[in-house]
Amino acid sequence: MNAPAPIDYTQLFRLDNRTVVVIGAGSGIGRESAQALAAQGAHVVIADYAFDAAEATTALIQAQGGSAEAYQLNVLDDDAIDAAVERFGSAAALVFTAATNVRKRMEDYSMDEFDRVVNLNLRASFQLIRKFGTRFAANGGGSIIGFASIRAQVVEPGQGVYAATKAGLVQLAKTGAAEYGAAGVRVNVVAPGVVETPLTAQITANPEWYGAYASKSALGRWSRPDELAGAVVFLASDASTFVTGTTLTVDGGWTAIDGRYTPPAS
């Protein structure tokens, strides 16, 4: 494949005249990412299982002068994914953030809970990467951006199944990068640390748990959802034309720190 044209640095992060599909954009990181993409000129497809939430994000972007449309999508429905690819396969980028977690030790997990976490976090990711990847390849290129987690790298009790799905997503992204790269398709994942979203409400409701997580970060705090949006814009834009098969970690230094105790310097 020929290399892309030289980059105009004044347009490095601009997404004018490009469509980006954001799955899970009804709330949290997906909503913030959608706003950031729209602010850079993209037309953003706000896809979410909850259509009212998708409409709310769409209205928010339009009120800010951006371009967006709401779309209801159940990523557990293979036919629905096929329909989304058929309708939005000409997009320049796909972002997917939808995930779930059941925080239980392995011995306490039911297989129904296991299936629920694996199906949304891993099976749906597999379908999205290969379905959009194939269409993007036919179009001559595109960017696919998934959301993994620091749990793909480090774990704690009660995070086993969630961690396994996120580690699996990292490997799917690498494989997608390898299989579709020659056709100009880039596949990457963003790996957040602890972020204040509906998915972490169980933790934020517990002051001791919340504080322990905050102290683990090198920055001494949790992330806001909007602090992940820059990574998404980077991976969707021409600023990352030679970035693929990688994990962009945005964790406030969580995985840089060894242990939870700060020893004396001397």
Side-chain angles (χ1 to χ4, degrees):
M1 178 185 174
N2 294 329
I7 295 172
D8 178 353
Y9 292 130
T10 67
Q11 301 296 308
L12 194 59
F13 295 98
R14 294 298 302 177
L15 295 163
D16 302 284
N17 303 313
R18 303 184 197 182
T19 296
V20 180
V21 180
V22 182
I23 299 173
S27 65
I29 296 169
R31 172 172 284 184
E32 299 300 328
S33 297
Q35 291 181 82
L37 292 162
Q40 294 301 319
H43 172 72
V44 186
V45 177
I46 308 300
D48 203 282
Y49 179 77
F51 189 61
D52 58 343
E55 288 184 312
T57 301
T58 300
L60 180 62
I61 289 172
Q62 291 174 342
Q64 296 166 348
S67 176
E69 64 181 287
Y71 184 76
Q72 187 171 29
L73 177 60
N74 178 5
V75 293
L76 297 176
D77 183 337
D78 293 339
D79 291 337
I81 290 179
D82 286 339
V85 172
E86 186 64 27
R87 181 166 174 178
F88 302 113
S90 61
L94 166 72
V95 182
F96 57 94
T97 69
T100 191
N101 193 2
V102 176
R103 295 180 180 85
K104 289 183 177 180
R105 292 175 182 264
M106 290 191 290
E107 66 189 71
D108 297 322
Y109 244 85
S110 72
M111 290 312 297
D112 285 344
E113 291 168 334
F114 178 91
D115 289 341
R116 175 153 53 93
V117 175
V118 170
N119 285 341
L120 181 57
N121 295 6
L122 191 59
R123 186 186 188 280
S125 297
F126 173 69
Q127 289 288 69
L128 290 168
I129 290 171
R130 68 174 184 157
K131 296 287 187 175
F132 275 92
T134 298
R135 180 59 64 89
F136 285 1
N139 294 343
S143 176
I144 297 175
I145 305 157
F147 267 79
S149 168
I150 57 170
R151 295 300 173 212
Q153 181 178 345
V154 293
V155 300
E156 65 182 6
Q159 297 276 21
V161 179
Y162 178 81
T165 63
K166 293 304 184 178
L169 173 55
V170 168
Q171 295 303 98
L172 285 179
K174 290 180 180 179
T175 305
E179 293 184 358
Y180 299 116
V185 180
R186 299 183 296 108
V187 187
N188 296 284
V189 296
V190 178
V194 289
V195 188
E196 294 187 2
T197 69
L199 190 62
T200 56
Q202 178 187 4
I203 303 171
T204 57
N206 183 319
E208 183 178 3
W209 199 353
Y210 181 90
Y213 275 17
S215 66
K216 181 63 176 71
S217 164
L219 298 179
R221 63 178 178 84
W222 284 53
S223 167
R224 302 184 313 270
D226 62 283
E227 292 180 294
L228 279 300
V232 173
V233 171
F234 167 69
L235 291 173
S237 72
D238 290 344
S240 61
T241 52
F242 205 60
V243 179
T244 193
T246 195
T247 299
L248 178 51
T249 304
V250 187
D251 68 349
W254 181 297
T255 53
I257 299 173
D258 179 18
R260 297 175 180 267
Y261 173 67
T262 301
S266 59

